[in-house]
Structure formats: C-alpha cells, structure tokens
Amino acid sequence: MLNQSVKKFWKKLPRLCLIGMVGIMPSINKVVGQGFESLYEAKVFTHKGKTLPYRIMYPKNFNPEQKYPLVIFLHGSGERGNDNQKQLVHGASLFANDSVRSRFPAIVVFPQCPDDDFWANIKENPNQQGYRSIEFLPESKPTAAMDLLIRLVNGLKRESYVDSRRIYVGGLSMGGMGTFELVARIPKVFAAAFPICGGSNPESAKRYAHKVKFWVFHGAKDDVVPPQYSIDMVSSIRKLGGDARLTVYPDAGHNSWDQAFREPELLLWLFSCKK
C-alpha cells in the first residue's frame, strides 16, 4: 500500500486533469459509440485471490498459429479503479485506429491499477521550498499492483502467439514511472519502452541500459512530474551505453501524452525494435 502522503498527492491528479477531460469526454463517448471500446476484450488476471483487471485487443484476423508483437500500456493515476474501462481513456484509441491495426498487427493490453495502489514503488518527500519531490524505490519490494502486472506479463509472454522478441511497454505519468520500474524488474522481457511524463531512479538504469531501447517524452512546463526526472533517466541510460531518445515539448505541461501519441515515427520506431 502507498504511504499517506503519496496517496494524498496522487488523489489530486484527477482534478489537475479535469479541465482537459472536459474537452476530451465528448470525443471519447463518440468513439465508444462506434465500437472502439469493444475492440478491447475485458479480462481479469487473478493470483492468490488478488485481481488485476485488464483489456486486451487482438490483431485483425487474429491467427493463433502466427506470432504477434505485444504492447503493454500503463495508465496514469486518474484512471485507477476496478471498472476495467477508465484505463482506455488515453492511448487506446491510437492502437485501435484502423490504419494502425492494419499496418502494425499487435496484441495490445491495458491493465488497470486499483484506486489505493500505484504502479511504481515511490515515496513523496516535500522539500524545504514546499515543492514535491519523488523518491523512486525500484530496488525495494514491488507494489501489489506491480507484482500482479509482472505475473500477467510473464503469463502473456508464454503464449505461443506472442513474439517474445517484440514485447513493448509504455505509459503516462504514474504509468510512465511504472514503465521504468517494470523494465527494471524484468529487463530481459522488453525490446523497447516509451515512458511519458514519468521518471525513476537513475541508478536502476544499469539493469536494462544495454537490453531495452527507450523513447522518453516529457513537457518542459510539467508542474506535476518534473521533466528533470525524464532527463536524468535518459542521461543515465546513455552514460551506460544504452539507446535512449528524448523528446521534451517546450510548451507542454503535464499532458505531454497527446503530443507523444501524435509523433509520426513513434509506432514505426516501436515496432521496429527487436530483442
């Protein structure tokens, strides 16, 4: 479970994103009405009585005799819950786009973190100036949600129709932090990762710098998750000889994911990465 200060901080994020959501919701409802949501089959992963809801979309004309890339996408704190629906708000429409599905056949999974948990193991530390700073603890015990996520990913990896050389993970905000930590905990699984407005402990990069390619995104004006966290991670990966791209949007605040999703080369880069 999260400590109380972290819970208090991340409960504020839905309100921070509310203004953006007001403009987004009409388009979401329109897409859902067109069958967008139905492309993602609702499932629940269970281990020792604990559950992790997730949505999974299979490629067009799915053939279990073939092998497909696997994409895991981790949502932000505002999409936590157990409705197995909110996690599709950001990013799911990109992969469900008809032309994207035709060009990049893949299995895409959106798990959902519970309200009272967090993908990454973190601790919030207010500094003397009153600003928030986040201490990342990827070397300590994983959160309950992360533990279930690791088990889910390892289970999916063993499916005969998953191309084990082309497994990818991305996420935004809380999910961006979770992306770094998931790669740190099971570095041999992933070929590439694309964390958006996230961060982690730069020391953890030594576990995956030579194994996983990164494209990291952040908004220069982000006042929720400091962009320096992403900058430090890319710097650490590069110093260790790893392959890491960094895109900082000069006018973007916390919502840098909309611009990241519009990057014309993102999916081409992602699906070209192999173990």
Side-chain angles (χ1 to χ4, degrees):
M1 294 298 178
L2 299 179
N3 62 54
Q4 292 300 315
S5 62
V6 174
K7 287 182 181 179
K8 184 177 179 181
F9 168 44
W10 289 100
K11 282 182 179 179
K12 295 178 182 178
L13 278 188
R15 294 196 294 273
L16 291 171
C17 297
L18 181 59
I19 295 175
M21 285 298 296
V22 170
I24 291 172
M25 286 309 295
S27 61
I28 290 175
N29 291 334
K30 181 179 179 181
V31 180
V32 170
Q34 294 172 346
F36 159 82
E37 199 173 47
S38 65
L39 294 175
Y40 289 89
E41 182 180 348
K43 293 190 177 185
V44 178
F45 177 77
T46 303
H47 177 74
K48 293 185 177 180
K50 297 180 180 180
T51 59
L52 184 72
Y54 69 98
R55 291 293 193 106
I56 183 168
M57 181 178 68
Y58 295 96
K60 288 183 177 181
N61 304 313
F62 174 67
N63 181 354
E65 300 300 318
Q66 297 182 10
K67 289 187 178 293
Y68 301 93
L70 171 65
V71 181
I72 309 294
F73 193 85
L74 307 181
H75 62 78
S77 66
E79 293 75 60
R80 289 178 293 182
N82 60 3
D83 65 347
N84 210 358
Q85 180 174 329
K86 285 189 293 186
Q87 74 267 37
L88 297 179
V89 168
H90 302 301
S93 61
L94 170 66
F95 294 100
N97 179 279
D98 192 65
S99 62
V100 169
R101 296 185 74 204
S102 297
R103 188 177 182 188
F104 304 107
I107 300 165
V108 184
V109 175
F110 278 70
Q112 186 177 35
C113 181
D115 278 319
D116 62 348
D117 210 346
F118 202 80
W119 292 128
N121 195 326
I122 69 167
K123 179 181 180 182
E124 183 194 359
N125 297 311
N127 61 28
Q128 293 179 350
Q129 288 74 36
Y131 295 107
R132 301 182 187 96
S133 66
I134 301 171
E135 182 181 357
F136 298 97
L137 309 168
E139 301 298 330
S140 54
K141 185 179 178 180
T143 65
M146 175 59 69
D147 180 68
L148 288 170
L149 177 61
I150 291 171
R151 295 178 187 278
L152 171 63
V153 172
N154 284 332
L156 290 169
K157 179 187 175 183
R158 290 192 290 269
E159 295 290 354
S160 61
Y161 45 77
V162 169
D163 185 347
S164 61
R165 297 182 61 207
R166 302 175 69 198
I167 300 179
Y168 315 115
V169 61
L172 59 90
S173 192
M174 179 188 79
M177 299 175 192
T179 296
F180 281 115
E181 183 163 328
L182 182 61
V183 172
R185 292 190 182 279
I186 48 174
K188 294 181 180 180
V189 170
F190 300 101
F194 57 108
I196 306 168
C197 57
S200 191
N201 186 331
E203 290 296 318
S204 66
K206 63 180 180 289
R207 302 187 63 184
Y208 52 76
H210 291 284
K211 299 181 179 72
V212 185
K213 294 181 179 180
F214 278 82
W215 191 348
V216 181
F217 302 89
H218 220 116
K221 298 180 179 179
D222 192 332
D223 59 356
V224 177
V225 180
Q228 193 63 44
Y229 291 160
S230 285
I231 294 170
D232 289 346
M233 289 307 301
V234 169
S235 176
S236 182
I237 293 169
R238 288 175 176 173
K239 285 180 180 178
L240 292 166
D243 185 342
R245 301 173 64 170
L246 174 64
T247 298
V248 177
Y249 300 108
D251 297 319
H254 189 53
N255 179 359
S256 52
W257 52 84
D258 283 343
Q259 288 176 264
F261 294 150
R262 289 196 296 266
E263 285 287 343
E265 295 183 8
L266 174 58
L267 296 185
L268 185 63
W269 168 83
L270 184 69
F271 289 108
S272 69
C273 295
K274 296 180 180 180
K275 277 291 190 186

